[in-house]
Amino acid sequence: MNSEINPYKVFAGSKGEALAQRICNHLGCQLGKIRVDRFADGEFAVSFEESVRGQSVYLVQSTCPNSDNLMELLLMIDAAKRASAYKVIAVVPYFGWARQDRKDKPRVSIGAKLVANMLQTAGADRVITMDLHADQIQGFFDIPVDHLYGANVLADYVSSLNLKNMIVASPDVGGSKRAAAFCKKVSSIAGIEVPMVICYKHRAEFNKVDEMRVLGDVKDKDVVIVDDMADTAGTLCKAADVMKENGARSVRALVAHGIMSGKACENIMNSQLEELVFTDSIPFDLQRCPKVHVVSVADPIAETIMAIQAHRSVSELNIV
């Protein structure tokens, strides 16, 4: 390692091992050894198999799809602090519970704030995350948060397809800012102005879209739908159907996080989508869905780690 860079080690939780290994390949370091012992009742214990004393420790783990992964990350943070690590940085490519970011009705929890509190209480000194459901979640933390964007690697991929009449679509009004930023990124790569349309949707309950309309012209266009996540993929599939009904030539979707729960794979295979592209923030078996293509965010995360270690600006690496 560069002598000007402070010593650090990278470790991975159960849901972060593949991505962490790619990050280490970029950094030119070995993935640290960690052990998780599980008891018959479901309880588990985390221990580091090598010294972390006086070092910056990067812990790679997405907090999905269940609470075990969050608990594992919390135990990793606690173990690192108790082992006299200099700094503990939680690398959380997908920050779960982020959709619970406000009180939108009486007597509900704000899950994103609760998780932020838990990470800080466990001892995290910094958080690296990507494509939060809402940017303001960064304000839930009282420690530095480096917010990365998957749009950079996704834009490189879609630009390589050389689509003739590309148009970017937001699946809802709330995602228009994200889609506009993606338009700007793709336009700068392609050297041409890429237009944008917006879908209006009405949702009666979670994971179910009742009505959707397109605000804009997509006739004979190659539509690229941009969103932050694909959970059951219901919104994306509905948007693709509406685009086709309005004369789109092709429809594909690009999202930062492929949660792919429930019947997501079946929904994608039966939809008008030509492909669904997302990052490796969450592990996914490509055999589950032939229409899925995964791009890696290991390089931008590794560059962020190097910038932090060298005390350089991180924001210049992640401009969308």
Side-chain angles (χ1 to χ4, degrees):
M1 297 181 186
N2 191 322
S3 59
E4 296 181 357
I5 296 179
N6 297 327
Y8 66 92
K9 289 184 178 180
V10 179
F11 295 87
S14 301
K15 281 291 183 180
E17 189 170 351
L19 175 57
Q21 185 60 65
R22 298 185 191 104
I23 292 171
C24 288
N25 292 342
H26 184 95
L27 292 170
C29 66
Q30 294 291 322
L31 180 62
K33 297 178 181 179
I34 196 167
R35 177 173 174 174
V36 180
D37 291 309
R38 298 187 180 274
F39 301 97
D41 64 351
E43 182 183 338
F44 51 89
V46 171
S47 60
F48 291 93
E49 298 295 286
E50 56 191 85
S51 175
V52 296
R53 182 178 295 273
Q55 297 190 330
S56 293
V57 176
Y58 291 83
L59 307 174
V60 183
Q61 174 84 316
S62 285
T63 56
C64 82
N66 54 55
S67 56
D68 277 4
N69 299 307
L70 172 60
M71 190 64 194
E72 187 176 306
L73 176 59
L74 294 172
L75 290 173
M76 290 166 64
I77 295 171
D78 184 69
K81 295 296 285 189
R82 296 179 187 278
S84 301
Y86 171 62
K87 294 287 185 181
V88 179
I89 299 93
V91 182
V92 191
Y94 173 71
F95 185 84
W97 286 273
R99 284 171 282 188
Q100 301 178 49
D101 62 341
R102 64 195 184 281
K103 277 194 74 172
D104 54 356
K105 61 182 180 179
R107 299 175 294 280
V108 296
S109 63
I110 303 180
K113 172 60 176 171
L114 176 61
V115 172
N117 288 346
M118 293 168 70
L119 291 172
Q120 292 174 132
T121 300
D125 296 294
R126 191 183 196 105
V127 171
I128 300 174
T129 190
M130 188 183 81
D131 283 279
L132 289 167
H133 189 64
D135 288 345
Q136 62 266 26
I137 291 173
Q138 298 172 73
F140 291 173
F141 291 88
D142 294 320
I143 56 176
V145 176
D146 297 303
H147 189 202
L148 314 185
Y149 296 93
N152 293 303
V153 294
L154 292 170
D156 289 337
Y157 172 77
V158 77
S159 298
S160 70
L161 300 178
N162 296 316
L163 300 175
K164 299 296 183 182
N165 296 298
M166 187 192 307
I167 188 169
V168 172
S170 172
D172 52 41
V173 176
S176 58
K177 180 181 177 181
R178 181 183 302 106
F182 189 82
C183 267
K184 181 179 179 181
K185 181 69 177 179
V186 174
S187 297
S188 66
I189 295 174
I192 58 173
E193 191 68 27
V194 177
M196 185 182 90
V197 297
I198 299 174
C199 292
Y200 168 78
K201 72 177 181 182
H202 173 69
R203 192 193 295 275
E205 56 186 88
F206 291 131
N207 298 123
K208 183 178 179 181
V209 178
D210 285 346
E211 178 187 7
M212 182 174 288
R213 300 176 185 175
V214 180
L215 307 179
D217 183 17
V218 296
K219 185 174 176 58
D220 298 324
K221 301 290 186 179
D222 296 306
V223 180
V224 177
I225 303 171
V226 177
D227 207 355
D228 64 329
M229 66 178 70
D231 189 352
T232 61
T235 295
L236 295 175
C237 294
K238 180 68 174 178
D241 293 341
V242 172
M243 296 296 175
K244 278 290 190 176
E245 291 170 4
N246 282 265
R249 181 166 60 183
S250 69
V251 186
R252 52 182 35 84
L254 277 65
V255 301
H257 309 295
I259 303 174
M260 302 298 283
S261 57
K263 295 184 178 180
C265 291
E266 180 182 340
N267 293 339
I268 292 296
M269 291 304 298
N270 294 331
S271 74
Q272 296 285 348
L273 286 170
E274 291 200 6
E275 66 175 342
L276 170 62
V277 185
F278 50 75
T279 74
D280 56 353
S281 63
I282 300 171
F284 182 78
D285 182 1
L286 290 173
Q287 294 184 350
R288 290 177 55 198
C289 186
K291 283 189 177 183
V292 166
H293 180 82
V294 176
V295 296
S296 182
V297 290
D299 288 0
I301 292 177
E303 292 290 338
T304 300
I305 291 174
M306 288 193 289
I308 292 171
Q309 290 301 118
H311 305 292
R312 292 187 283 107
S313 172
V314 172
S315 60
E316 64 185 21
L317 300 174
N318 304 298
I319 297 174
V320 179

